[in-house]
Amino acid sequence: MLWLVKPVKLAFFVCFIAACLIVSGPVWAAKLSGKFYVTQTCPAYISKNKLTNPDSVVLEPGKIYTVFEANRTPNPSWYRLNISATHSGKRWVHASCGDFLYESRTRQNSGYGCSLPGRADGYVLALTWYPAFCKLNSNKAECRIVESAAFQAHNFTLHGLWPNKYSCGTRYGFCGEVNSREENFCDYPEVPLSQPVRKSLAEIMPGIQTGYCLQRHQWYKHGTCQTDWTADEYFDLSVGLARWFNESGVSRFMSRVAGRKIQANEFINGIAEILGESIRDKITLICNDDILLELRLNFTANLAPGIDPMKLIARASKVKKESGCGKIFWIESINGH
């Protein structure tokens, strides 16, 4: 009987049983069906308890694997993946190494993990230089405004505020019930906005006034990928950031350089004089036919109202060196002169 076993033998007996449980395999694992999209370099273990990885297998970002087990459900902390056809190719990876999607979701979106809300590791504020936009889209109703006193003659307008996930690139989007792009933006469902927000948005996103419905596209593609704000709060923050950028002195700078060619270095120097040196590697210029069309600013993921935008830009990830503009480009004016 157990009570007759000496203490040393009892300890050995308990350790032996525990060892057998470990060696016998993951009897506590739960069956699970889905895909795992790897977002960071991670080791893949044969045993997650002993962290054994004899052949030093490492999973690389961007790879997709089939999941067939998890250590528990719900809220697994480990997933077991089929990384090759061999028995030793079945490996455990920690949940922090990527994103899990159920089969039903992976069929809807081939991006795997690039349509999950709340996974942004940064934000991009995209601002359009409207005189250039209208030169390239002169048939649009909102481009009939040619008065030099108009808001869009001297200010960048709001294209959008985009939650960004580095591993997804431009594929991070459509994180809600709407999971694909509508060619006609007005075919998206209406976005519930209060009258004050709709009014402030209409000035800084001119297409709203003429039924372009850009706000709908921005919300369903980008706004649904953040989990911090309602549609009202999301657009209120977007408008606030666009106004901050213009009112910092950029609007006056653009009025001085509009209607002429400018060197890229001169343009960046002018923006840096206004907003500080940290802006240099956090801004991307977008040109079309050597005409400045848009600029994009990188922000950190902890973007929130009331925080100094320059602090968020200073700590943001650097942009790629490539730019859509050459060494010299044209700054369009509202009346073409």
Side-chain angles (χ1 to χ4, degrees):
M1 289 185 295
L2 185 60
W3 59 273
L4 294 175
V5 180
K6 292 182 178 180
V8 173
K9 291 185 177 180
L10 177 59
F12 174 80
F13 176 76
V14 171
C15 290
F16 175 78
I17 294 298
C20 288
L21 287 174
I22 293 174
V23 171
S24 64
V27 296
W28 54 87
K31 294 293 182 183
L32 194 63
S33 179
K35 299 289 184 180
F36 192 83
Y37 179 85
V38 183
T39 60
Q40 57 181 308
T41 302
C42 273
Y45 301 110
I46 292 178
S47 168
K48 60 179 170 46
N49 299 298
K50 294 183 177 181
L51 301 182
T52 52
N53 186 9
D55 41 2
S56 302
V57 174
V58 174
L59 303 187
E60 297 179 356
K63 300 290 186 180
I64 300 165
Y65 299 96
T66 298
V67 177
F68 63 93
E69 284 181 327
N71 65 323
R72 63 171 182 260
T73 57
N75 303 319
S77 57
W78 290 88
Y79 294 100
R80 200 175 186 208
L81 315 180
N82 217 343
I83 65 172
S84 75
T86 66
H87 177 73
S88 61
K90 296 178 179 179
R91 300 296 181 105
W92 289 98
V93 297
H94 196 267
S96 63
C97 295
D99 295 319
F100 171 79
L101 286 181
Y102 287 97
E103 292 285 4
S104 59
R105 185 64 174 171
T106 60
R107 285 195 294 268
Q108 292 177 7
N109 191 312
S110 60
Y112 299 117
C114 296
S115 59
L116 290 176
R119 301 300 181 93
D121 47 29
Y123 280 85
V124 173
L125 178 67
L127 301 169
T128 300
W129 184 241
Y130 227 70
F133 174 83
C134 287
K135 182 178 179 64
L136 300 168
N137 300 273
S138 57
N139 60 321
K140 291 188 176 295
E142 61 268 29
C143 291
R144 295 171 188 163
I145 300 174
V146 295
E147 292 82 6
S148 59
F151 174 85
Q152 56 265 46
H154 308 285
N155 293 278
F156 281 92
T157 60
L158 176 65
H159 182 171
L161 178 62
W162 305 336
N164 185 54
K165 187 177 180 183
Y166 184 80
S167 62
C168 295
T170 58
R171 293 179 299 128
Y172 189 53
F174 295 108
C175 301
E177 294 182 3
V178 176
N179 53 41
S180 61
R181 175 190 173 98
E182 295 286 356
E183 290 304 316
N184 185 335
F185 291 168
C186 292
D187 288 341
Y188 290 110
E190 181 69 59
V191 180
L193 295 175
S194 66
Q195 191 57 35
V197 171
R198 188 176 295 275
K199 182 178 179 181
S200 63
L201 191 59
E203 180 183 42
I204 208 159
M205 192 179 273
I208 294 179
Q209 303 175 29
T210 57
Y212 183 43
C213 299
L214 177 59
Q215 80 280 14
R216 299 190 189 188
H217 175 69
Q218 292 302 312
W219 172 250
Y220 288 107
K221 182 177 182 182
H222 302 290
T224 57
C225 289
Q226 55 78 34
T227 56
D228 295 320
W229 313 300
T230 64
D232 253 16
E233 292 167 337
Y234 167 76
F235 282 113
D236 192 50
L237 176 59
S238 303
V239 169
L241 288 172
R243 291 195 184 282
W244 160 79
F245 183 75
N246 286 314
E247 293 170 5
S248 66
V250 172
S251 176
R252 293 191 298 274
F253 171 72
M254 294 302 292
S255 295
R256 294 198 304 271
V257 299
R260 70 176 179 89
K261 287 184 178 181
I262 189 170
Q263 291 186 356
N265 288 340
E266 181 187 351
F267 183 86
I268 294 296
N269 288 342
I271 299 296
E273 281 184 20
I274 298 167
L275 295 175
E277 290 299 309
S278 62
I279 198 76
R280 290 184 180 276
D281 54 6
K282 311 299 172 63
I283 186 171
T284 302
L285 306 181
I286 307 296
C287 286
N288 189 309
D289 291 333
D290 293 323
I291 299 173
L292 180 67
L293 177 62
E294 187 164 292
L295 57 79
R296 297 171 185 174
L297 300 173
N298 282 16
F299 288 84
T300 58
N302 61 330
L303 182 63
I307 302 178
D308 182 358
M310 278 313 306
K311 291 182 179 179
L312 299 175
I313 291 176
R315 296 194 296 266
S317 59
K318 296 180 180 180
V319 301
K320 296 180 179 179
K321 292 183 179 180
E322 295 82 4
S323 173
C325 298
K327 293 182 178 180
I328 299 177
F329 50 84
W330 179 265
I331 306 291
E332 189 63 37
S333 62
I334 195 73
N335 53 16
H337 300 295

